[in-house]
Amino acid sequence: MVWIVTGGIDKGKTARVLVLWDDLKDLGYDGIVSLKVFVGDELMGYTLKRLSDGTERMLAVKEESKVFRLQSGNLFFDPDAFEWADEVIDEICRDPRCEGIIIDEIGPLELRGMGLYDAFTEALLCGKDVIAVVRKSSLEDVLENFEIEEFVLMDVEEEQ
């Protein structure tokens, strides 16, 4: 089954997924979440964090560099972080003890075949439950492009 956590920007999608994971981790769920990085009150970027062991990779920053060269909106992403995420999801898919996979977030990059596209595709195909975070503005395109016909929708804005 595919579970989609949706909502607008800064509406609590990742926070909702972290609550879900806390309830599901003993059932063998694992995955990756995107967490904001602040310096004071200023958003500096995002990290990708594996839920089961807490390992992290810097994912995106606000300024282009030799490492962070893939741009989407006002952020620059590190392609190596996405490769790491692919490896994590592949490992989770092959783990017979794992019942489900959490992926945060599927959006514009993935709709262009980049970012977490490969990881999300593999998660959908490996036969485990998938909980995916999808921004409301990308929801219809994600459902269509990834051919997701059966799913449960959790709208964080309706839960508030």
Side-chain angles (χ1 to χ4, degrees):
M1 175 59 72
V2 177
W3 301 77
I4 297 177
V5 177
T6 194
I9 297 171
D10 292 329
K11 296 296 181 181
K13 298 179 299 293
T14 299
R16 179 70 174 108
V17 163
L18 291 171
V19 169
L20 283 171
W21 180 72
D22 196 47
D23 292 338
L24 297 170
K25 62 185 171 188
D26 292 336
L27 300 176
Y29 278 66
D30 196 2
I32 52 174
V33 291
S34 301
L35 301 174
K36 294 177 182 175
V37 176
F38 289 94
V39 172
D41 291 338
E42 185 178 355
L43 176 67
M44 300 306 293
Y46 290 83
T47 62
L48 272 181
K49 179 178 181 178
R50 183 172 183 172
L51 292 167
S52 64
D53 64 13
T55 55
E56 293 186 46
R57 297 291 186 276
M58 196 65 194
L59 173 63
V61 294
K62 293 178 109 179
E63 294 183 22
E64 184 177 15
S65 71
K66 290 181 181 180
V67 173
F68 296 87
R69 59 189 183 277
L70 175 62
Q71 185 176 8
S72 183
N74 66 345
L75 293 172
F76 294 89
F77 292 84
D78 179 2
D80 291 343
F82 293 122
E83 288 181 27
W84 174 76
D86 290 344
E87 293 169 9
V88 168
I89 298 305
D90 181 61
E91 182 181 316
I92 295 168
C93 282
R94 289 184 285 111
D95 185 345
R97 297 168 295 168
C98 182
E99 295 294 324
I101 302 167
I102 296 169
I103 299 183
D104 172 20
E105 156 172 347
I106 305 303
L109 275 176
E110 291 72 24
L111 290 170
R112 296 184 348 231
M114 298 184 288
L116 296 171
Y117 177 89
D118 291 339
F120 187 53
T121 300
E122 181 173 8
L124 291 172
L125 295 173
C126 79
K128 299 180 187 291
D129 287 342
V130 174
I131 298 172
V133 172
V134 179
R135 189 178 299 164
K136 196 176 280 191
S137 60
S138 298
L139 182 60
E140 291 301 320
D141 290 334
V142 168
L143 293 173
E144 181 180 325
N145 288 344
F146 289 95
E147 299 178 359
I148 302 170
E149 296 177 4
E150 294 184 26
F151 60 94
V152 174
L153 191 64
M154 293 179 280
D155 189 328
V156 296
E157 294 178 70
E158 292 177 6
E159 293 177 355
Q160 295 176 354

